[in-house]
Amino acid sequence: MLNPLRRKVQQVSADGAYDTKACRHILENKGITPTIPPRCNADYWEEDHPRNEAIKVLKADKQAE
């Protein structure tokens, strides 16, 4: 989807279906900031990954319900 674009893309927003390591890896290699929420059943990735903070907030929100 990104390959045919001629303009520089700075950020991509997508739904949780694109919350995969492969998708994020491709975006980051192209210098694109991914704005993709974790899936509802998401688990933590490697330590200090920025996505983990979003998961922490989602899990805390679920416990508060």
Side-chain angles (χ1 to χ4, degrees), residues 13-24 35-41 45:
S13 298
D15 66 12
Y18 294 91
D19 181 34
T20 65
K21 288 183 179 181
C23 184
R24 288 177 181 268
T35 307
I36 304 170
R39 297 175 187 215
C40 61
N41 62 346
W45 284 357

Side-chain angles (χ1 to χ4, degrees), residues 5-57:
L5 296 177
R6 296 178 191 262
R7 288 193 257 165
K8 174 84 172 122
V9 176
Q10 295 178 352
Q11 179 182 344
V12 169
S13 298
D15 66 12
Y18 294 91
D19 181 34
T20 65
K21 288 183 179 181
C23 184
R24 288 177 181 268
H25 181 72
I26 289 169
L27 293 173
E28 290 168 358
N29 280 346
K30 292 180 176 280
I32 300 171
T33 302
T35 307
I36 304 170
R39 297 175 187 215
C40 61
N41 62 346
D43 218 357
Y44 294 105
W45 284 357
E46 57 272 359
E47 193 172 329
D48 294 328
H49 195 284
R51 177 183 172 274
N52 292 345
E53 191 62 35
I55 293 172
K56 186 188 301 181
V57 171

